[in-house]
Amino acid sequence: MLTQKPTINYGLEGIYVDESAISKVDGQNGRLWYRGYSIEELADKSNFEEVSYLLIYGKLPTKTEFDEFVMKLKDRTGLPDEVKRVIRKMAPIAHPMDIMRTATSMLVMYDKDPNNRDLESTVDKIITLLAKLPSIAAAIGRFREKKRYIEPDSSLNLSENFLYMLTGRRPNKFEGKLIDLMFILHAEHSTNASTFSVLVTASTLADVYAATTTGIGTLKGPLHGGADEAALNMIKAIGDPDNTEKYIEEALEGKQKIMGFGHRVYKAYDPRAKLVRSYLEESLIKEPTDEVRRLLQIALRAEKLMIEKLGKSKGIWPNIDFLAGPLYRVLGIDSKLFTPIFVASRMSGWGSHIVEYWNNNKLVRPLEYYTGPLDVPYKPIELRQ
Ligand code: SDX
């Protein structure tokens, strides 16, 4: 029996729970590597399919490996009719993240051996989910606007096909680069809350679909993946660039968290946010809409003020979610679909961690320090006040 209270790390802050070779997040210097490749290099030279292969298999694919991987993905981007029916039914009522979670969970029905945890079977399930999640996100976007479902176009890559299935228009080269960049930047980030929750579920030897459904539920929260939607809602609430400073100051005085800023690990500018910012500035050169121009003006004034007030002093800097919104608006994507896109991308990180963790599985079961009474005498209901 413990005599004195042990050290408790709330939220597992600063606690190492595993070792991994998938990604390195250098919070002090604002750096990120996937399997040893810098995020800047991958954002500039790679694509989401190649990054997904890198994360899952631990190496960049040869041309033959890449073509085979892409072929498998392209063959699986379609959705079963029952899944489309449920999405259509939920679209007018439920939040897109709740529909993502439900539709993803249904996919287990089409897997002949869902509980098979052999490496080959596990990777095959991850490929199926990587292929279908963007289609589910796009179908949600279509049915929310009471538009018809658009079948996938196998001539496009996963991220371009997502945009096509959402808008009915094949993206141009720059639009294709922007959406693929966002898929690459959101793919993996070590033991963030949703990836850790995926590992907790996988550690019980539940199946890939169960672990993925856990991850989607966890990613929804505004302190995590839901911050991208919340950050754009805040920028929209500010409305006029000249309101920015007043709005932020009042929010901080009211002890409100400014969405899109701060991070458990990064105590410097999130390197992913820097990349989003640079592509946003590039998109400003190409006829941006007035909406995007205004959003960006507000975002940049909010960023400047937050860095002045909380950057250097408290290590609260912009994270990827802050500028993701304005960039998605360049592509005409509704804010309610931002986190579903995050799900479609992060499936590569979740999947790679499941594969790695099952190599040396250990049930996740931490302790909590009990503060209640012991051996309380039971009182029959008629004697209780
Ligand atoms: C993602 O972990 C990952 O890797 C996640 C992610 C990924 O790729 O998977 O990077 C994606 O989720 C990015 C984070 C998105 N979330 C947000 O933008 C929501 C706003 N951010 C905060 O809620 C906060 O910064 C967290 C939750 C992200 C991290 O918070 P911590 O580490 O739990 O720290 P904390 O909430 O205890 O804050 C410490 C102090 C507090 O002030 P004091 O009580 O000490 O005076 O910093 C303040 C906080 O009030 N603070 C903020 C703030 N974030 C922290 N104050 C104002 N605005 C903020 N955004």
Side-chain angles (χ1 to χ4, degrees), residues 137-245:
I140 294 167
R142 296 293 289 181
F143 293 159
R144 274 172 54 84
E145 295 180 6
K146 298 187 177 34
K147 292 176 181 169
R148 69 174 178 78
Y149 175 75
I150 294 178
E151 289 296 337
D153 176 347
S154 60
S155 70
L156 303 171
N157 68 30
L158 277 181
S159 57
E160 290 166 334
N161 181 55
F162 161 73
L163 264 188
Y164 166 66
M165 288 180 73
L166 177 65
T167 64
R169 197 173 53 78
R170 288 167 182 76
N172 64 37
K173 197 163 176 310
F174 184 63
E175 291 164 332
K177 177 60 191 172
L178 286 185
I179 193 66
D180 205 57
L181 169 82
M182 297 307 272
F183 271 66
I184 291 172
L185 296 182
H186 284 89
E188 157 63 14
H189 214 241
S190 86
T191 40
N192 58 85
S194 54
T195 300
F196 182 62
S197 71
V198 164
L199 290 183
V200 171
T201 303
S203 80
T204 70
L205 303 188
D207 61 275
V208 172
Y209 301 94
T212 303
T213 309
T214 303
I216 298 173
T218 307
L219 192 67
K220 178 183 177 184
L223 294 188
H224 186 19
D228 48 18
E229 178 184 349
L232 190 78
N233 291 343
M234 178 193 76
I235 294 173
K236 284 181 172 173
I238 291 172
D240 181 320
D242 291 336
N243 288 341
T244 307
E245 290 72 17

Side-chain angles (χ1 to χ4, degrees), residues 82-152:
E82 296 95 330
V83 173
K84 284 185 250 180
R85 260 199 292 282
V86 168
I87 295 173
R88 193 188 296 277
K89 181 147 184 66
M90 292 183 76
I93 311 157
H95 187 286
M97 281 298 282
D98 300 329
I99 307 172
M100 280 302 277
R101 194 181 67 236
T102 308
T104 302
S105 197
M106 286 179 72
L107 295 177
V108 73
M109 289 195 293
Y110 310 96
D111 188 321
K112 294 181 189 57
D113 193 0
N115 298 307
N116 184 335
R117 291 188 303 104
D118 294 352
L119 177 59
E120 195 181 337
S121 174
T122 299
V123 172
D124 194 65
K125 295 174 192 337
I126 292 162
I127 290 172
T128 298
L129 286 160
L130 271 174
K132 293 195 183 318
L133 286 174
S135 303
I136 291 173
I140 294 167
R142 296 293 289 181
F143 293 159
R144 274 172 54 84
E145 295 180 6
K146 298 187 177 34
K147 292 176 181 169
R148 69 174 178 78
Y149 175 75
I150 294 178
E151 289 296 337

Side-chain angles (χ1 to χ4, degrees), residues 92 106 132 153 181 194 249-250 253 295-296 336 369 378:
M106 286 179 72
K132 293 195 183 318
D153 176 347
L181 169 82
S194 54
E249 300 272 6
E250 282 173 3
E253 264 144 48
L295 290 177
L296 198 61
K336 286 259 186 312
Y369 181 69
Y378 182 83

Side-chain angles (χ1 to χ4, degrees), residues 11-79:
L12 293 180
E13 186 157 19
I15 296 292
Y16 285 88
V17 292
D18 196 9
E19 51 198 280
S20 170
I22 300 173
S23 68
K24 162 78 180 161
V25 181
D26 175 349
Q28 293 314 314
N29 302 303
R31 297 295 312 276
L32 172 61
W33 295 266
Y34 291 170
R35 297 283 188 183
Y37 294 86
S38 75
I39 193 64
E40 293 81 9
E41 187 109 74
L42 293 171
D44 181 33
K45 297 176 183 156
S46 190
N47 57 69
F48 179 63
E49 282 82 349
E50 186 178 73
V51 164
S52 298
Y53 187 101
L54 171 66
L55 289 169
I56 294 165
Y57 290 96
K59 71 176 192 72
L60 287 174
T62 62
K63 178 86 175 64
T64 312
E65 289 165 337
F66 180 74
D67 292 346
E68 195 189 313
F69 185 67
V70 168
M71 192 51 65
K72 282 183 188 169
L73 288 166
K74 287 179 184 289
D75 284 349
R76 306 185 197 186
T77 50
L79 296 180

Side-chain angles (χ1 to χ4, degrees), residues 13 189 192 222-225 227 252 255-264 272 306 310 314 316 319 321 342 346:
E13 186 157 19
H189 214 241
N192 58 85
L223 294 188
H224 186 19
L252 290 174
K255 285 280 176 212
Q256 268 180 51
K257 296 269 176 71
I258 310 298
M259 296 291 115
F261 288 87
H263 199 278
R264 176 62 61 78
R272 303 167 297 178
M306 281 294 287
L310 297 175
K314 288 191 88 172
I316 295 166
N319 63 53
D321 290 319
F342 199 152
R346 189 53 57 92

